[in-house]
Amino acid sequence: MSKAKWMGISKVRESIATSSSEEVTASYLDTILKSRINGYVTINEGAIARAQDIDKNKDGKGHDGVLAGVPIAIKDNISTKGIQTTCSSKILQGYVPPYNAHVIERLLDAGAVILGKTNMDEFAMGTSTESSHYGTTLNPWDHEKVPGGSSGGSAAVVAAGEAPISLGSDTGGSVRCPAAFCGVVGLKPTYGGISRYGLISYANSLEQIGPIATNVSDIATIMDVIGGYDPRDSTSIKQEITYQDSLVDDVTGLKIGVSDEYFAEGIDEGVEKSVWAAIQKFEDMGATWEKISMPHTKYALASYYIIAMSEASSNLARFDGTRHGLREEGENWHVMASRTRAKGFGEEVKRRILLGTYALSAGYHDKYYLKALKVRTLVKQDFDKALSNVDVLMAPTMPTPAFKIGEKIEDPLALYLTDVNTVPINLAGVPSISMPCGLVDGLPVGLQIIGNHFDESTIMRAAYSFEQNTDHLAKRPAGVE
Amino acid sequence: MAYHNPDGVMIGLEIHVQLNKLNTKMFCGCSTKYHNDEPNSHVCPVCLGLPGSLPVINEKAVEAAMKIGLALNCEIVPQTQFHRKNYYYPDLPKGFQTTQYDFPIASEGKVFIEGEDGEHVIGITRAHMEEDPGRLLHIGSIDKSKGTMIDYNRSGMALIEIVSEPDMRSPKEARRFLDKLRNIIEYLDVCDTTLEGAMRFDANVSIGGGSRAEVKNISSHKGAERALLFEIVRQKNLLRRGGTVVQETRHFDEARGVTISLRTKEQEHDYRYFPEPDLVPMRVADRTAKVAETLPELPDAKRERFTKEYGMADMHAKALTSEIRTADFYEEVAAKIDAKICTPWVADVLKGELNYRDLTVESFKVDDMVEIIEMVTQDKITEKSAVDVIRAILDSGGSATDIVKEKGLIKVEDDVVSTAVLEVIKENEAAVTDYLGGKEQSLNFLVGQVMKKTRGRADAVQAREMVLASLNK
Amino acid sequence: MITKDEVEHVGWLARIEIDEQDADSYAAHLNTVLEYFGQLDEVDMENVDPTYHVMDVVNVFRKDVVTESLTQEEALENTKSRQDGHFKAPKIM
Ligand SMILES: [Mg+2]
Ligand SMILES: [Zn+2]
């Protein structure tokens, strides 16, 4: 099995049963080594040893786990004990965390084998993975296109058959956008659904870790492993959801809301058609749809960026050269820190820190930060109202298919504007899944299915039904079986 | 007599109380018992600010904060939260301090002190929770250092910051306020104030309504008085030379006893406070009554009770209640010995001897105190011997019984004294004649001779009476 | 409009060294974005409370129970400079 393949978790487990985790892991590593897409920042040197341990049941617990021996790729902003974790930044080059994120503990307990750390926009600040210090990741469908971001590596390696499943993080669309651009499935769970302990913060009040996979069932499998309450994250919420139970092929009576605000000016015609076709398909399958209004959507983007940048300016203050990562010389500590940060952060990260610092600073706090939080209230109210009338909302994940590498990187605002359909979801804290619903000019289109807080079951059921009754997930990038 | 405060001194204090009696830090499970351990050995991802770590509030710290607030007669806020105070300093591993901002857990309280002119009220603006930064060791002094060494063991320790109104009018009042505050904190059993860094102070000082200077890095009550004296003199001299006091932050160099400028107002920080997104709000108002129930009797209340219950003077009640350990000691003694008798022994004699030696009441056993007082009341030893025994115990240890035996302090019988009196009268004819001739001071000489003969074991008052009786026969 | 001087001041607040010529381009970039943010001024926000936390949760506490700390070596292993169990950094002033 040297050729790159899409394999779901059940297929991987079958392979492990007939050969071994070691063999399966080695074959993924082999694919990764031959890859040209630059999806990984760091390969886990202990992957083979870990697979062997699982094969021999050495750790005594992972063997029976639902992910026993199953390889997984982890976004490089999730702390992995003993494995370099850089957030694709120069400032964290060489940083090896002495502890595991909550999700990593859960995955290891379930027997997973970490293949490596995936490439991303530096500190998750981006929509294209072009801001990585370690080079852009290429879209497996078209190497001239971006894979989306910020979890571009996590989506691209799954699409390219370099990992069966992966974890990303979604602050304003960072799981759903690359899932859409790479033609795979990605979930942004309800805020508080997965512990953020060990996720290196970009914008704490907005982000969640989320899984990426080639099919809806695998999303459920991973969520059952990593989801749920963790006392180490004060924003984690006690909610019992069994994701497997939501895998029901039935949308009879499902009420879908569609908001024109998500098909705003600048939307690609092909994307619009694909999404409407999907909604039509749901209708064929027994669901109904209606138009709903989300009047504050157009202000969501500004609100999101102000909040995210403000929080980021504080979150990233700890990278001062003192305890980890890069350190530049300076005649005193403050100069050392200023130089370290000037050299260690990329341009986009610096811009966002400066804007966030400005938005929180004396005299501007109320004009920007406070106002953004009030708009957040209004956006959330839009969702509360909409979701009291319908079960789910459907919308294009991204207004266009993957764009060309370099096309928008010189114009930050143009890049921000591509997040228009994903950021409102983070402001409201609701769950959303992105899954393929067609191809435009050979590039995948993502359908976003949005639900109410902790009503993942409903969006998962819708996604599963759509998957079972269409063949969009059978389409793969060239060269991948 | 009213105090006029000739220089218009206004002193406000900010006191950081470290909740070192908790088992763990403010936001993580690291042990607070780091004082004798290796640097950076009591740290975890949270208090070391490692990327990805998240804080979780120590419930006991919140209760301790409420206790302190209530003890300072503050209002407890119905709902509050933590904020981030953003600034860069190497002791701050996250680049911000998690603290409270617009809704401190407690506010608008007051503390009563013995002021320059009697009872004086110091307003408490607020008391809020926050985390301690790490500890910096400057290689050399702060302004001429070669480098900085950082130990994060202290990082994340729970602190209560108490902010007073600028109600103190002299360094002495500031010292009194700090003493009172320490007294209250000790009563609450939330802080071992003897540990290094347990209580730290910043002071705001202004004179004559001018700009105020903030003096940082004061670490003892004595240091506070010295720093304030220095700062007031500095400001006075500055004004006398025609200068003006600028609003600035100054650093107290304890070793040199001076304050040096750290930064002026123009260089002040812009802290960019915002609510900590990693922590959720606290609604604790409904816990106030329950916390109040756990409050011990506080110094002022205890002082009042002592005067009533034991019939002692307020001066004695104040001395006895100024430390909870002394108050407890006294009550144990008073359970066995009549209060009228034991009060001066504990409040005057023992406390005086302890203060002289910079010792605490822990250096003395209740049983020894009881025994010593009993020996006096049963006329077995003299009052002077009793004081000697107390001193001996404090200086070289041992029990009261043993010391009395060793030193042969048991009072001699009356007949031994009368024999001595007779002998002295016989041996000192000249003095006797002088006394009878009207020279009063000769009596003192004769009594002294009796004391000498009995090696001090005689009761001086009794000896005097017996000499007089013999002479007047 | 954010001026070049303000950019330098914000750079200092954020401890990011910005040299003269970069300050201009930062100012230009920042102003484009700030102008976009300005659209929030259109929104009527009277009687609207800010949302700091999207989920309505309060009183999340931890028991005062000691958990394991890192070893001194684990604490120090990622720093560029250390001495006698301490992190070592340049002087402050
Ligand atoms: Mg403070
Ligand atoms: Zn800790």
Side-chain angles (χ1 to χ4, degrees), chain A residues 93-240:
Chain A
Q93 193 157 22
Y95 169 63
V96 179
Y99 79 106
N100 275 325
H102 174 79
V103 292
I104 300 299
E105 285 179 359
R106 290 276 187 95
L107 286 171
L108 294 177
D109 278 350
V113 175
I114 294 169
L115 287 169
K117 306 299 290 290
T118 54
N119 203 5
M120 56 188 278
D121 278 298
E122 185 181 2
F123 283 104
M125 297 178 183
T127 310
S128 64
T129 312
E130 292 167 283
S131 70
S132 167
H133 175 67
Y134 306 98
T136 305
T137 293
L138 313 183
N139 190 318
W141 294 78
D142 177 348
H143 287 188
E144 294 193 348
K145 299 288 192 316
V146 301
S150 67
S151 312
S154 288
V157 298
V158 170
E162 297 175 23
I165 50 177
S166 69
L167 292 189
S169 69
D170 191 314
T171 312
S174 285
V175 161
R176 290 161 289 153
C177 158
F181 281 5
C182 293
V184 289
V185 188
L187 172 71
K188 199 290 285 185
T190 305
Y191 188 79
I194 302 181
S195 169
R196 291 183 292 112
Y197 189 79
L199 170 68
I200 300 179
S201 304
Y202 155 29
N204 332 45
S205 78
L206 298 160
E207 63 206 6
Q208 282 287 292
I209 290 169
I212 294 171
T214 58
N215 61 79
V216 177
S217 309
D218 285 2
I219 297 286
T221 304
I222 306 168
M223 284 304 294
D224 280 332
V225 171
I226 64 173
Y229 179 69
D230 172 22
R232 291 172 298 185
D233 175 358
S234 305
T235 63
S236 148
I237 289 172
K238 285 179 183 141
Q239 276 279 340
E240 289 309 319

Side-chain angles (χ1 to χ4, degrees), chain B residues 24-25 40 43 57 279 283, chain C residues 53 59 62 64 70 72 85:
Chain B
T24 66
K25 297 183 179 181
N40 298 301
V43 293
I57 303 165
L279 294 171
R283 244 170 244 160
Chain C
H53 293 91
N59 292 351
R62 173 176 68 76
D64 188 23
L70 296 171
Q72 190 192 56

Side-chain angles (χ1 to χ4, degrees), chain B residues 14 16 85 87 97 99 128 130-131 159 161 202 216 273:
Chain B
E14 284 177 26
H16 287 90
K85 179 182 183 179
Y87 67 96
Q97 184 189 33
T99 180
H128 70 248
E130 62 183 28
E131 57 182 341
L159 290 183
E161 180 177 328
D202 301 334
K216 290 196 170 286
Y273 283 98

